[in-house]
Amino acid sequence: MEKKIFIKTFGCQMNEYDSNRIYDTVKKIGYLKTENKENVDCYIINTCHIRDKAKEKVYHEVGRIRELYKSKNKPITIITGCVAQAENEEMLKREPYIDMVVGPQSYHKLNNLIKNFEIGKKIEETEFDVVNKFNYLDNTKNGDTNISAYLTIQEGCDKFCNFCVVPFTRGPEYSRPFDKIILEAEELVKNGAKEIILLGQNVNAYSFKIQSKEYRLSNLINTLENFSEIDRIRYTTSHPRDMTDDLIDCYSLSKKLMPFVHLPIQSGSNKMLKLMNRKHTVETYIKIYEVLKKINPEIEFSSDFIISYPGEDESDFLETLNFIKSFRFINSFSFIFSPRPGTKASTLKQVDYEISKERLIKIQEQLFLHQLNINKSFINNSVDVLVENEIIGQNKLFGRNKYMNSVIFDGSKKDVGKIIKVNIEKVNQNTLFGKTTNQRELLN
Ligand code: SAM
Ligand code: SF4
Ligand code: F3S
C-alpha cells in the first residue's frame, strides 16, 4: 500500500540533493513524497551541524512532530545528515521519539531499515560507506525535475580547517566515477534541467582516476558543455587551493560556465588563515581573482567569512574589513565563529561575544553595501534570466541571472525553462525586480 514521506531539510545544497535522492530511493518501497507533513508514515529531519545550536534545532523539530501527531499514529521518525553523524546514538538516548539516526554515508541502507522497522526498535547507522552509497544511488533514477538541478560529484573533505565539522560528518574526500556523473546528468536533462550545479564540499578537488587517466572538474565541465540541452553550468563550493590551471582554463573555453565564482576566503588576515589551517594566503586568493578577471572581466566573486575566530585581534579584524572594502564581492556569507564539538578550534579561547557582534555588523554593512550597489547597477538594464518557475499566487516568475541573483518579474509562464531578457526596474539587497521585454510592450 502507498505510504507518505516528508523530509525537512536544513543546511547546504548537498543536503537538498541528498533529500531528493532519499525521495527517489524510498519510492522503491512504496513511500511517496508529500508536502503535507501532517499526515505521513515517515518523517525525516535532514540536519546540518555547521554552526550554532544545530542539535537543539533538531530536538525542537522533533518536539513539533510529537505535538503534530499526538492524536494520530506516530510516523517513523528518522534523523539524517550531519547532526546524525556527529551525535549518533546520543540522539536516541536523549529523545525516545526518534526511531533512527542515519549518517550521510548510509542512505543506501534506508529502504531496508524502513521496510523492516518495528515499533520500539532503535537504529543507528553512521558508518562511512560512501562507495556503496553511490553504487546504490547510481542504480536509482534521479527524479529531480527542477530547471536548475543539483548533481553531487564529490563528497567529504580532507582539508581539516580547524573550525569545521565537515571532515568528521561527511568523512574523507570521495569523488564519484566520471561516467556515473555523466549518466546522472543525462537523466536530469531528460527531466528538463537546463542548468546543472555540480556539488561537493570541495568540489574543485574532484579527482577520479581510471586506467592511469585522471578526470577532474574541468573534464566534467567540458563534457557537460557538449550537452545541447544544458544552457548553464555552475559548481560549488570550491577551495582556493584547488583552483588549478585546467579549471581556470574552463573560463576561457566554456560558453556555459557562468562567470560567478563562489570561493570562500574566510579572512583577510594571513595570520588568521594560518591559525584556521586554511592552506592558502590572501595573496594566492587575489592572484586567482586577477587571473580570472583577465580571462573574463565580467567574472564576479562571492565568499564566506568567519568573524572572531579564536586569536583574532582588532588589527586582524581590520585587515579583513579593509580587504572587503577593496574587493567588491557580489555577495557573501559571514558568520561569527561557532565552536564545533570535536574540532581543533572548539577548545580555544573565544573572542568576547559583544565584540564579535560589533565586528560582524561592520563586516556585513560593508558586504551589503557592495551587494546593493552592484544590484543597483542592473537598474534600467536588461539581464539574461534562466526562468525557473512561476511564483504561485503572485502571478510572477522567478529566475536567476548569470551571477545567481534572484530575479522576480512579470512575464509569461511559457518562458519557464528558457533564458530570456528581463529589464530591471528596482532592486533590493537580495533580489532584482523587472519585466520581460515583451511584457513591457504589452503594458505600454
Ligand atoms: N568547503 C568550503 C570551503 O572550504 O570554503 C566551505 C564549506 S562550509 C559547509 C560553509 C561555510 O561555513 C564555510 O565557508 C565557513 O565560512 C562556514 N563555517 C564552517 N564552520 C564554521 C564554524 N565553526 N563557525 C562559523 N562558520 C563556519
Ligand atoms: Fe570545512 Fe571547507 Fe575547510 Fe573542508 S575545506 S574543512 S569543508 S571549510
Ligand atoms: Fe551542514 Fe553538513 Fe552541509 S554540516 S553545511 S549539511 S555538509
Side-chain angles (χ1 to χ4, degrees):
M1 206 187 65
E2 184 185 292
K3 299 200 169 183
K4 295 274 188 307
I5 178 166
F6 174 79
I7 308 179
K8 167 98 183 163
T9 307
F10 294 96
C12 62
Q13 294 100 327
M14 194 171 286
N15 260 12
E16 277 185 47
Y17 172 86
D18 287 345
S19 291
N20 281 335
R21 300 302 274 142
I22 294 172
Y23 279 132
D24 292 333
T25 62
V26 294
K27 261 189 238 161
K28 293 183 187 171
I29 53 163
Y31 278 76
L32 297 186
K33 173 182 175 173
T34 174
E35 299 295 344
N36 176 11
K37 58 180 171 186
E38 295 184 18
N39 207 357
V40 297
D41 305 279
C42 180
Y43 198 123
I44 295 184
I45 310 176
N46 196 6
T47 60
C48 172
H49 202 42
I50 204 80
R51 275 177 297 276
D52 304 327
K53 302 170 185 83
K55 216 171 33 173
E56 297 313 312
K57 272 191 216 156
V58 180
Y59 292 118
H60 288 152
E61 187 63 25
V62 175
R64 279 191 280 272
I65 307 174
R66 185 194 279 111
E67 193 50 33
L68 213 52
Y69 284 84
K70 69 176 176 216
S71 50
K72 299 182 203 165
N73 281 345
K74 173 187 180 309
I76 306 175
T77 304
I78 307 178
I79 311 301
T80 57
C82 290
V83 179
Q85 187 66 42
E87 291 293 311
N88 48 59
E89 74 252 20
E90 282 307 306
M91 306 198 87
L92 296 172
K93 283 190 202 140
R94 177 168 155 186
E95 176 49 271
Y97 200 82
I98 300 172
D99 298 305
M100 292 182 208
V101 173
V102 181
Q105 308 310 357
S106 300
Y107 295 157
H108 54 298
K109 298 182 184 158
L110 270 169
N111 276 3
N112 272 339
L113 296 175
I114 295 174
K115 229 172 34 190
N116 299 324
F117 173 73
E118 288 164 25
I119 295 171
K121 200 166 122 191
K122 301 288 168 190
I123 291 156
E124 188 252 324
E125 275 293 350
T126 49
E127 253 179 274
F128 285 129
D129 198 2
V130 65
V131 177
N132 281 330
K133 177 180 84 168
F134 278 114
N135 281 345
Y136 177 87
L137 287 178
D138 285 339
N139 294 321
T140 308
K141 275 193 189 322
N142 187 325
D144 185 353
T145 54
N146 285 326
I147 302 293
S148 172
Y150 291 134
L151 173 41
T152 292
I153 64 165
Q154 178 279 343
E155 217 179 314
C157 180
D158 294 339
K159 296 246 175 356
F160 288 93
C161 300
N162 287 338
F163 51 79
C164 186
V165 284
V166 171
F168 305 99
T169 58
R170 295 275 170 173
E173 263 173 33
Y174 169 78
S175 293
R176 290 180 63 192
F178 183 83
D179 57 328
K180 302 290 183 205
I181 295 170
I182 298 303
L183 284 174
E184 194 170 326
E186 282 170 4
E187 199 63 48
L188 291 169
V189 162
K190 266 193 234 153
N191 298 348
K194 299 287 177 193
E195 172 175 276
I196 302 278
I197 307 184
L198 302 171
L199 297 182
Q201 268 90 31
N202 254 309
V203 71
N204 53 346
Y206 176 82
S207 166
F208 177 71
K209 295 191 183 100
I210 190 163
Q211 289 164 358
S212 74
K213 179 160 170 51
E214 184 189 15
Y215 291 89
R216 301 205 32 97
L217 174 59
S218 56
N219 301 99
L220 284 166
I221 293 170
N222 293 335
T223 306
L224 294 181
E225 180 84 14
N226 296 326
F227 280 47
S228 59
E229 303 88 341
I230 295 177
D231 293 321
R232 290 179 169 183
I233 305 166
R234 303 180 189 272
Y235 61 87
T236 198
T237 297
S238 41
H239 190 283
R241 226 352 232 273
D242 296 309
M243 286 305 289
T244 48
D245 290 345
D246 56 320
L247 179 55
I248 286 176
D249 285 345
C250 288
Y251 286 90
S252 35
L253 300 172
S254 166
K255 291 194 169 48
K256 297 182 178 174
L257 181 61
M258 289 293 101
F260 170 74
V261 184
H262 179 62
L263 191 64
I265 185 168
Q266 314 295 356
S267 172
S269 148
N270 279 334
K271 178 189 127 188
M272 297 317 301
L273 292 178
K274 198 152 192 213
L275 288 177
M276 290 174 177
N277 191 28
R278 275 295 288 180
K279 303 185 175 79
H280 62 82
T281 61
V282 175
E283 290 72 28
T284 49
Y285 190 93
I286 294 174
K287 183 91 195 127
I288 296 166
Y289 174 84
E290 286 171 350
V291 170
L292 284 174
K293 275 287 201 193
K294 214 164 165 186
I295 292 175
N296 178 2
E298 278 200 358
I299 290 176
E300 297 287 356
F301 273 56
S302 79
S303 178
D304 296 344
F305 291 92
I306 296 185
I307 309 306
S308 289
Y309 182 79
E312 183 185 88
D313 62 25
E314 196 58 22
S315 68
D316 306 316
F317 167 69
L318 288 176
E319 276 189 65
T320 301
L321 190 61
N322 289 333
F323 174 76
I324 290 171
K325 280 184 186 162
S326 67
F327 202 110
R328 265 171 38 113
F329 287 103
I330 192 161
N331 66 45
S332 282
F333 301 98
S334 43
F335 320 94
I336 294 176
F337 165 71
S338 165
R340 310 314 294 135
T343 61
K344 277 208 174 146
S346 63
T347 52
L348 302 176
K349 186 172 180 300
Q350 285 191 55
V351 177
D352 174 80
Y353 187 60
E354 290 307 313
I355 295 178
S356 303
K357 272 201 304 200
E358 277 171 31
R359 287 182 183 169
L360 184 70
I361 290 170
K362 284 188 191 149
I363 292 283
Q364 293 192 334
E365 270 171 5
Q366 201 53 54
L367 288 169
F368 296 163
L369 182 72
H370 283 323
Q371 202 170 317
L372 184 63
N373 284 340
I374 295 175
N375 284 357
K376 280 183 181 164
S377 71
F378 294 117
I379 294 179
N380 294 329
N381 286 314
S382 95
V383 296
D384 286 342
V385 173
L386 174 59
V387 188
E388 291 187 26
N389 55 276
E390 194 188 5
I391 306 176
I392 308 295
Q394 282 191 31
N395 214 8
K396 303 246 181 222
L397 296 177
F398 172 87
R400 290 184 188 274
N401 68 356
K402 57 189 171 192
Y403 301 123
M404 281 297 269
N405 288 115
S406 302
V407 186
I408 294 179
F409 60 100
D410 295 320
S412 159
K413 234 168 52 179
K414 68 174 175 23
D415 287 334
V416 171
K418 294 185 193 152
I419 294 183
I420 59 162
K421 298 238 177 270
V422 175
N423 293 300
I424 301 304
E425 298 177 336
K426 58 178 188 178
V427 300
N428 62 26
Q429 190 191 302
N430 297 315
T431 311
L432 317 179
F433 301 89
K435 289 188 176 71
T436 54
T437 324
N438 50 14
Q439 194 75 18
R440 241 178 133 85
E441 282 157 9
L442 284 175
L443 293 171
N444 281 339

